[in-house]
């Protein structure tokens, strides 16, 4: 399952009762390829509430973002261009098609969105070598860094993509996980609506992590219609269809009734508080890290730089914390920079009862098992930074290909 294989941070939330009840009450079977009418109608309402209307005919659903990204890329021509670092699951999907994968360092202001000047130069050089970059995959609310790209920078990158003749695939999986109301997040589909496919994995928000479900929204143009049709054919070839009970429960949560919206708001508060506490623990231990603005992941830099520094940090933190902590090299970052992604979902508990206690707590940081996890994080980073001088800052995009 995509949220259980280590490529994505686990949100660490209990399965809500309304989800379990809807799954249990639904008939067995599978959805049509791309999603049935009830699911797509609910998905259309979901996008419309996010200022991205368009109609159910322009949407697809699948059991996970991996299948959708593969279908979107396979249904288009040319090579993909990815940010560096990027979500760990994206490059392997792109490489399955046998095309070249071009990477562009992210700007210092935020991960997930390539620096616009570097984007233009990367595309120019690639084409001079005979390559054919056609698609830019980006994420304004980012894994692995947990940052949110400022609207001004996103606009500049979208302009650069248009200048380079690139279509955009916007991974908006974490767009509903903002920690602060004042954070402004825009979608490329608001800037280049005729040239942007929006993709979201619902396992980050509305759907429990163990039930893969994802959506894609295509442009409402003749080209977008054709692109969607070809992508649906790829999904059919892969037999990538949702089980009917999962589809029924997903359609319900996409409607965002009061119990679902309330649960999502509570989860966001929980993630914001635990991520802020983890940020304090990490930085007070001597590591550098950009403040998290979305999701439940941080991307600190700690320890000495040098050959295989990212791997060394990964091994040290994995051993010290007793759970997988992927190094920056897993995300396409410079392996000589000592960076790693810290997921805070594991702080919420190892059992459903512990996770429910964290979600219900007025002060989750004071819950004993959460506090113990934060203390272990402090100890691990204190030991790690004691190994040598901190090597640069994750805020510095000009070293190690950005963060």
């Amino acid at each position: 399952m995509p949220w259980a294989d280590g490529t994505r941070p686990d949100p660490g939330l209990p399965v809500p009762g309304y989800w379990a009840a809807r799954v249990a009450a639904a008939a067995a079977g599978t959805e049509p390829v791309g999603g049935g009418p009830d699911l797509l109608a609910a998905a259309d309402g979901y996008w419309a509430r996010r200022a991205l209307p368009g109609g159910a005919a322009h949407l697809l659903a699948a059991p996970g973002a991996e299948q959708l990204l593969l279908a979107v890329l396979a249904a288009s021509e040319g090579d993909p261009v990815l940010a560096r670092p990027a979500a760990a699951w994206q490059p392997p999907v792109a490489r399955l098609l046998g095309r070249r994968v071009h990477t562009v360092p992210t700007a210092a202001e935020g991960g997930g969105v390539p620096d616009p000047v570097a984007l233009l130069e990367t595309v120019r050089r690639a084409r001079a070598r005979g390559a054919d970059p056609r698609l830019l995959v980006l994420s304004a609310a980012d894994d692995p860094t947990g940052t949110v790209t400022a609207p001004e920078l996103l606009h500049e990158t979208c302009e650069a993509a248009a200048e380079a003749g690139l279509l955009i695939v916007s991974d908006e999986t974490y767009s509903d996980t903002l920690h602060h109301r004042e954070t402004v997040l825009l979608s490329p589909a608001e800037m280049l609506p005729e040239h942007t496919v929006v993709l979201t994995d619902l396992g980050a928000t509305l759907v429990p992590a163990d039930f893969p479900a994802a959506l894609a929204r295509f442009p409402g143009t003749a080209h977008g219609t054709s692109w969607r049709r070809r992508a649906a054919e790829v999904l059919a070839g892969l037999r990538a269809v949702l089980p009917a009970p999962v589809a029924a429960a997903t359609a319900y949560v996409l409607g965002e009734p009061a119990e679902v919206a309330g649960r999502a708001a509570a989860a966001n508060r929980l993630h914001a508080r635990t991520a802020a506490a983890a940020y304090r623990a990490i930085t007070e231990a001597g590591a550098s890290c950009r403040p998290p603005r979305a999701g439940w992941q941080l991307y600190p830099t700690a320890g000495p730089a040098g050959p295989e520094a990212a791997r060394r940090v990964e091994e040290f933190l994995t051993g010290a914390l007793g759970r997988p902590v992927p190094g920056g090299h897993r995300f396409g970052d410079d392996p000589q920079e000592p960076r790693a992604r810290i997921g805070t979902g594991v702080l919420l508990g190892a059992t459903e009862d512990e996770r429910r206690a964290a979600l219900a707590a007025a002060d989750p940081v004071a819950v004993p098992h959460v506090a113990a996890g934060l203390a272990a994080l402090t100890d691990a980073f204190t030991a790690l930074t004691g190994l040598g001088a901190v090597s640069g800052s994750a805020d510095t995009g000009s070293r190690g290909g950005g963060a």
Side-chain angles (χ1 to χ4, degrees), residues 198-224:
V198 178
L199 184 151
T200 184
D201 195 317
L202 297 170
T205 50
L206 298 178
V207 173
D210 288 340
F211 295 84
L215 303 173
R217 176 188 178 275
F218 292 79
T221 63
H223 174 264

Side-chain angles (χ1 to χ4, degrees), residues 363-383:
D363 182 11
V365 174
V367 174
H369 66 267
V370 177
L374 289 167
L377 200 61
T378 299
D379 291 344
F381 272 89
T382 298

Side-chain angles (χ1 to χ4, degrees), residues 77-373:
E77 297 179 347
D79 303 333
V81 180
L82 273 63
R84 186 171 73 243
W89 63 272
Q90 292 177 355
V93 169
R95 293 191 179 99
L96 283 174
L97 299 173
R99 302 177 192 173
R100 298 183 186 181
V101 176
H102 310 276
T103 63
V104 184
T106 57
E109 295 87 342
V113 174
D115 176 84
V117 175
L119 174 63
L120 290 173
E121 182 61 16
T122 297
V123 171
R124 184 191 67 79
R125 291 183 179 182
R127 289 173 176 165
R129 294 192 303 267
D132 187 25
R134 297 278 193 92
L135 290 143
L136 170 62
V137 182
L138 55 73
S139 182
D142 181 50
D143 174 33
T145 67
T147 60
V148 175
T149 299
E152 297 80 8
L153 176 58
L154 181 62
H155 190 269
E156 291 175 7
T157 299
C158 288
E159 287 185 334
E163 181 180 339
L166 301 176
L167 297 170
I168 294 176
V169 179
S170 178
D171 178 3
E172 301 187 6
T173 294
Y174 294 97
S175 292
D176 285 348
T177 67
L178 301 184
H179 294 177
H180 307 288
R181 292 181 180 178
E182 64 270 20
T183 300
V184 178
L185 174 65
L186 296 181
S187 168
E190 299 177 71
M191 304 175 187
L192 297 173
E194 297 183 356
H195 303 282
T196 301
V197 169
V198 178
L199 184 151
T200 184
D201 195 317
L202 297 170
T205 50
L206 298 178
V207 173
D210 288 340
F211 295 84
L215 303 173
R217 176 188 178 275
F218 292 79
T221 63
H223 174 264
T225 299
S226 177
W227 197 356
R228 180 197 180 278
R229 176 184 54 78
R230 296 193 302 272
E233 291 172 353
V234 175
L235 291 176
L238 297 172
R239 296 184 180 179
V241 295
L242 283 165
V246 173
T250 300
Y252 174 72
V253 298
L254 284 171
E256 299 177 291
E259 63 179 344
V260 175
R263 158 64 179 251
N268 274 359
R269 288 192 298 269
L270 174 62
H271 289 314
R273 291 169 181 172
T274 52
Y279 172 76
R280 290 193 298 270
I282 289 169
T283 54
E284 289 174 2
S288 59
C289 184
R290 281 182 294 208
R293 302 296 184 195
W296 41 91
Q297 57 268 21
L298 301 92
Y299 196 58
T301 302
E308 298 190 336
R311 181 188 59 80
R312 294 199 313 271
V313 168
E314 174 183 278
E315 291 179 352
F316 179 85
L317 290 175
T318 295
L321 297 174
R323 60 178 185 267
V325 179
H329 59 300
R330 307 287 182 185
F331 310 99
D333 209 347
D334 186 345
Q336 297 197 60
E337 287 294 331
R339 298 187 182 120
R341 185 192 68 195
I342 298 294
T344 61
V346 295
L347 298 173
L348 305 184
T351 68
E352 288 287 284
D353 286 343
E354 287 183 343
R355 293 177 174 191
R356 289 191 187 95
L359 184 62
D363 182 11
V365 174
V367 174
H369 66 267
V370 177

